[in-house]
Amino acid sequence: MEDVSNQDQAIELLQQLGLKEYEAKSFVALTRRQQGTAKDISETSEVPRTRVYDAIRVLESKGLVETQHSKPQIFRAVSIDEAINTLQSEYAERTESLRSALSGLEPTDDGESTEATHEVWSISGDMGITSRTQQLIEGATEELILVIGHESIFTDQLAEQLQSAQERDVNVIVGTVDEGLQATIQDTLPGVEVFVSGLDWLSRSPLPDDDTEISRLLLADREAILVSSFTETSADGREHEQGVFGRGFDNGLVAITRRLMATGLLSTNDPETEES
């Protein structure tokens, strides 16, 4: 059953990376075999034999399959590492082409173009929220206050981003929900101020029947705010993460947010009291 599950997952992921169904099934079949004819591939993948040749031609053009021109022809998949590198390169090229195409779009004349001084947007899904977090961290020039409400938020990637921000002289302050996570972050980022947040409602709500937890609170350069929450359905997972992103707020709201986020930080290091 595990092999079937892995096979189905591999086929699905290959399709998400741009392969059509028969191409993905044929490649997975060849990966399972050292080599094979069109008949072998058809029997292993349940792809009609007449369609195997079309699929192989596409896979060969992508550098994923090699062909031995014997009678009958014999095919084999490239190594897994080579296949992953090839797909990564193609994906990167496509995304860069997409960037160029989108950047070259002409703006429409519908409506008036106005510069918003205040804006609030909702974001859904871990990938989108993580991407926005990265964008805010990489764009910060003065200060980052990040309160982490769930241990899974603190990844190696996030640690590298925070480290990079600190190295370009951004004041980085990180709050955590417990001392264990505080120690982990402090060991990973020894130059960053890390404190245990006094915001108990990050991990538990005072309201009955509310199992929502806060994932992260991020304030960048006293101007952009990101808050995300989730409903925990397993010991280590975050399901249905939702976020709210805002920028361009008045100083009053920013001051309240900064003080709230710094709850638990020693007063001598409070970002508000330092300015007094």
Side-chain angles (χ1 to χ4, degrees), residues 124-126 129 153 215-216 228-230 238-242:
S124 181
D126 173 64
I129 295 170
I153 296 295
S215 293
R216 72 197 94 192
S228 69
S229 62
F230 70 100
R238 301 190 316 278
E239 296 291 337
H240 310 298
E241 186 168 6
Q242 303 287 328

Side-chain angles (χ1 to χ4, degrees), residues 128-196:
I129 295 170
T130 298
S131 177
R132 182 56 54 86
T133 301
Q134 177 179 352
Q135 182 185 50
L136 290 175
I137 293 174
E138 292 180 348
T141 58
E142 297 180 4
E143 179 186 77
L144 286 168
I145 303 179
L146 172 64
V147 178
I148 298 176
H150 193 274
E151 59 183 7
S152 64
I153 296 295
F154 189 68
T155 62
D156 292 340
Q157 183 181 31
L158 177 59
E160 292 174 3
Q161 294 162 6
L162 294 173
Q163 181 66 44
S164 178
Q166 186 191 36
E167 290 173 355
R168 60 176 189 271
D169 295 327
V170 175
N171 183 29
V172 179
I173 302 171
V174 179
T176 69
V177 291
D178 56 53
E179 294 181 354
L181 183 56
Q182 178 192 28
T184 298
I185 297 176
Q186 196 70 81
D187 289 344
T188 306
L189 302 170
V192 171
E193 180 71 39
V194 186
F195 67 98
V196 176

